[in-house]
């Protein structure tokens, strides 16, 4: 299950990067912020998965 969670978290991070890039290209600050939030969320979840792995 952990591997699937890691892939989902990475996908969320990459999706955030895409949203941020589109927001930059279209000068849409809301989309930029949403992309940055998605990236931060994905990174935080990945960090949690790494901590879980340490304690296995």
């Amino acid at each position: 299950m952990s591997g699937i969670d890691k892939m989902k978290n990475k996908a969320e991070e990459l999706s955030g990067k895409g949203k941020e890039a589109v927001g930059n290209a279209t000068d849409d600050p809301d989309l930029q912020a949403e992309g940055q939030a998605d990236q931060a969320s994905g990174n935080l979840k990945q960090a949690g998965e790494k901590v879980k792995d340490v304690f296995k």
Side-chain angles (χ1 to χ4, degrees):
M1 186 78 171
S2 181
I4 292 171
D5 290 338
K6 288 178 183 178
M7 288 189 300
K8 287 180 183 178
N9 298 338
K10 189 63 173 177
E12 182 176 8
E13 179 188 350
L14 293 175
S15 171
K17 286 182 181 184
K19 285 181 186 178
E20 184 179 8
V22 170
N24 286 335
T26 60
D27 291 326
D28 184 347
D30 291 334
L31 192 56
Q32 290 172 338
E34 185 178 338
Q36 290 172 347
D38 286 351
Q39 288 178 63
S41 175
N43 286 333
L44 184 60
K45 289 176 184 176
Q46 285 181 26
E49 289 296 323
K50 288 179 184 178
V51 169
K52 281 194 238 177
D53 288 345
V54 168
F55 290 104
K56 281 187 178 181

